[in-house]
Amino acid sequence: MNELKGKVAVVTGGASGIGLATVEAFLEKGCKVVLSDYDVESGEKHVDRLKDKGEVIFIKADVSKEEEVESLVNEAVEKFGSLDIIFNNAGIGAQGETHELSYEDYSKVIKINQDGVFFGSKHAVRKMRENGGGVVINTASILGVVGEPTAFAYNASKGAVVMMTKSLALQYAKDNIRCAAIAPGYVETGMVNREALGEYYDNLVDKHPIGRLGQPEEIAHAAVFIAENEFVTGITLLVDGGYTAL
């Protein structure tokens, strides 16, 4: 098992939901954590709240911009001396009829969900090769594995993440770098809850045989498992309450 105490972890999209839960989970394991997000106010607020739990800093980054992701990785290494884990988690959702989808809206989803994984992986791997290894964890989705009629751009981006993960795992195994993805089902967050979704909430629950939506902490636990287990690489770990078993 990979001992996480003292390891340096970067989490993108770390100011809310799955990302924030994973920041907290890595801190509990004794990691030094960089919480990165586009939302400066929320990011700094959570870092201030979590400081008594371990070494944690905030670095702003828009993952759709390569120069900002490169700067994020470089700053993390400058602050903590190395980079052992990156969780490419930042992402956005989008729904709508494909024939009415603008290229601008399509491109925004691809730039954040897909390009963000490329930029994070590219620059993290450069540092990890220098350090003798590391772990790249990507947030995919159940919609990277199964289709959704009104999620064309999101399906495209998350399906790409699944295959990018396999490619990275094969390329860099020789460098002691592991890469795996997590494919969550629908998870209770600020955007996915009964108040926000109304009657559609129950429809989502019905798609999960386990009878409920996931919790951010359950996805964070999967990220910790991937980081710790040295025989795990190239997989997409479904944490979906049975959604894709239907």
Side-chain angles (χ1 to χ4, degrees):
M1 300 295 287
N2 183 21
E3 173 59 56
L4 298 188
K5 186 175 182 180
K7 301 287 188 181
V8 178
V10 169
V11 179
T12 67
S16 63
I18 292 169
L20 180 57
T22 306
V23 168
E24 296 187 17
F26 280 147
L27 284 171
E28 289 173 5
K29 285 289 183 175
C31 291
K32 303 172 185 179
V33 182
V34 176
L35 186 164
S36 182
D37 203 282
Y38 185 74
D39 185 339
V40 175
E41 183 179 354
S42 293
E44 291 182 341
K45 177 187 71 175
H46 286 300
V47 162
D48 187 61
R49 176 178 63 84
L50 294 169
K51 280 182 177 176
D52 62 343
K53 294 189 176 183
E55 294 187 65
V56 55
I57 63 172
F58 173 75
I59 299 175
K60 177 184 178 295
D62 177 348
V63 299
S64 71
K65 298 177 180 178
E66 182 170 9
E67 64 275 14
E68 293 195 20
V69 178
E70 182 177 14
S71 178
L72 163 64
V73 169
N74 289 339
E75 285 186 51
V77 173
E78 288 171 11
K79 173 63 178 179
F80 290 126
S82 66
L83 176 59
D84 303 292
I85 303 161
I86 188 166
F87 185 25
N88 293 311
N89 169 71
I92 60 171
Q95 294 256 335
E97 298 292 334
T98 304
H99 68 277
E100 295 178 348
L101 179 65
S102 70
Y103 179 72
E104 181 182 8
D105 288 341
Y106 169 82
S107 182
K108 182 178 180 180
V109 173
I110 298 300
K111 284 179 178 178
I112 294 173
N113 293 1
Q114 183 174 333
D115 292 356
V117 169
F118 166 50
F119 298 147
S121 300
K122 172 182 175 179
H123 292 287
V125 162
R126 285 180 171 178
K127 297 298 183 183
M128 290 173 181
R129 293 182 75 203
E130 295 173 2
N131 297 338
V135 185
V136 177
I137 306 170
N138 299 323
T139 298
S141 169
I142 51 173
L143 299 188
V145 180
V146 297
E148 173 68 32
T150 58
F152 180 83
Y154 192 78
N155 274 144
S157 67
K158 293 302 185 178
V161 170
V162 169
M163 296 310 299
M164 291 161 74
T165 298
K166 291 178 182 290
S167 179
L168 285 166
L170 294 172
Q171 285 182 76
Y172 297 109
K174 65 183 185 303
D175 296 305
N176 193 35
I177 297 171
R178 297 185 293 108
C179 185
I182 303 170
Y186 285 91
V187 175
E188 295 262 4
T189 65
M191 296 292 291
V192 181
N193 56 63
R194 185 177 293 280
E195 182 178 355
L197 298 177
E199 294 181 1
Y200 186 62
Y201 179 88
D202 290 327
N203 292 334
L204 282 184
V205 170
D206 288 343
K207 293 181 178 181
H208 298 74
I210 206 166
R212 62 175 176 84
L213 304 190
Q215 296 298 316
E217 294 76 14
E218 292 170 316
I219 312 305
H221 182 70
V224 169
F225 164 74
I226 290 169
E228 288 184 328
N229 194 310
E230 294 181 342
F231 202 53
V232 170
T233 195
I235 68 163
T236 294
L237 178 60
L238 289 154
V239 188
D240 68 352
Y243 186 107
T244 56
L246 287 171

